Amino acid sequence: IDTGTGMSVYDSGKVASTTSSHTLPAGTLTNNKQFQWRVKTWDNSDTEGAWSDYATFYTSAKPSVTITNLTEGQTIITSFLTVQWSMSDPESEGQSAYQIKLTDMSDTVLYDTGKVIDSVSRSRTLGYELKNNTDYKVKISVWDGKDVKSEEQVISIHVSFTPPAEPNVTTTRNNASITINIEHPTPVDPQPTVVYSDIFRRKQGEFKWIRIGTGVQNS
């Protein structure tokens, strides 16, 4: 039943079947409408049961998502990736959530944001360090205001960059503090010029690095 008009749009009639599912013919329903449905059954003695209560659902066309800062086969020259996107919806529903995945070329998931409830963001820097000379797939989906999910857009990228020369680092202990000195060698083409350094630490025997300084200049 179309709840807007109160008119019946489909009636299967009595169907001889032991299954508990039914597929409506294509074109029965139209998008952007609310419908109610109910069902009754007959037992194996052909005794008719009562109608169920009405259940309600809403039909909506899928939104679409487009990655705007990457193209298929693009070469990425950094080790961290930012994904930017736009979304559109046939019924002018805004974004309610998004999900970004990074996989290898065999579709093994390396990084997954999960479903992020966010109606504003159209950009995300992935928390995964890309390996040099490696191919990846970037996958993104969005949900509209009615929680309808888009088809997943997939773009393949190639990572290729020249890392900077390894810095020379020395430390000096001063009672309760440590002075860290960083000297960057003069780059040799095609090595890039270093702009700044970040400093990380970890306890001996542990695996997790903790960033303790960022934007540290040479010397």
Side-chain angles (χ1 to χ4, degrees):
I1 295 175
D2 183 332
T3 58
T5 64
M7 301 294 293
S8 175
V9 296
Y10 180 78
D11 185 346
S12 70
K14 183 179 179 181
V15 179
S17 173
T18 59
T19 64
S20 56
S21 65
H22 183 79
T23 301
L24 275 64
T28 302
L29 305 177
T30 54
N31 280 322
N32 203 24
K33 285 192 172 185
Q34 188 180 62
F35 295 90
Q36 286 184 319
W37 68 281
R38 62 179 183 172
V39 62
K40 66 178 175 179
T41 58
W42 285 258
D43 66 16
N44 55 10
S45 299
D46 203 35
T47 300
E48 182 177 352
W51 283 107
S52 68
D53 293 333
Y54 276 104
T56 302
F57 65 89
Y58 193 91
T59 56
S60 178
K62 292 181 179 180
S64 61
V65 61
T66 302
I67 297 176
T68 58
N69 67 323
L70 302 172
T71 56
E72 177 65 25
Q74 181 176 338
T75 296
I76 306 300
I77 59 173
T78 63
S79 57
F80 286 95
L81 181 66
T82 297
V83 180
Q84 299 173 356
W85 67 91
S86 63
M87 69 88 67
S88 62
D89 187 86
E91 295 154 15
S92 301
E93 294 283 341
Q95 174 184 296
S96 64
Y98 70 86
Q99 181 175 17
I100 302 172
K101 299 177 185 177
L102 182 73
T103 75
D104 62 17
M105 299 307 288
S106 299
D107 292 318
T108 300
V109 177
L110 307 172
Y111 177 82
D112 186 350
T113 64
K115 184 179 180 181
V116 180
I117 306 302
D118 186 338
S119 62
V120 178
S121 297
R122 299 293 186 274
S123 178
R124 173 78 178 249
T125 299
L126 307 189
Y128 183 88
E129 186 171 2
L130 304 176
K131 292 182 174 61
N132 204 5
N133 301 316
T134 305
D135 295 320
Y136 297 93
K137 292 180 184 179
V138 181
K139 304 180 180 184
I140 184 169
S141 305
V142 296
W143 285 259
D144 67 14
K146 293 187 175 69
D147 204 36
V148 177
K149 186 179 180 180
S150 71
E151 296 291 339
E152 189 175 61
Q153 187 188 13
V154 181
I155 286 182
S156 298
I157 59 172
H158 177 71
V159 179
S160 178
F161 58 86
T162 302
E166 184 174 332
N168 299 312
V169 181
T170 58
T171 60
T172 304
R173 186 175 66 182
N174 304 303
N175 295 323
S177 66
I178 296 176
T179 299
I180 302 174
N181 188 67
I182 303 171
E183 294 286 350
H184 293 287
T186 302
V188 178
D189 189 61
Q191 290 176 338
T193 299
V194 175
V195 178
Y196 66 87
S197 300
D198 287 353
I199 301 175
F200 296 78
R201 75 174 181 191
R202 73 178 180 191
K203 279 189 176 182
Q204 192 169 5
E206 294 186 355
F207 297 97
K208 183 178 180 181
W209 289 95
I210 300 173
R211 191 197 313 262
I212 61 172
T214 186
V216 181
Q217 302 302 310
N218 197 29
S219 303

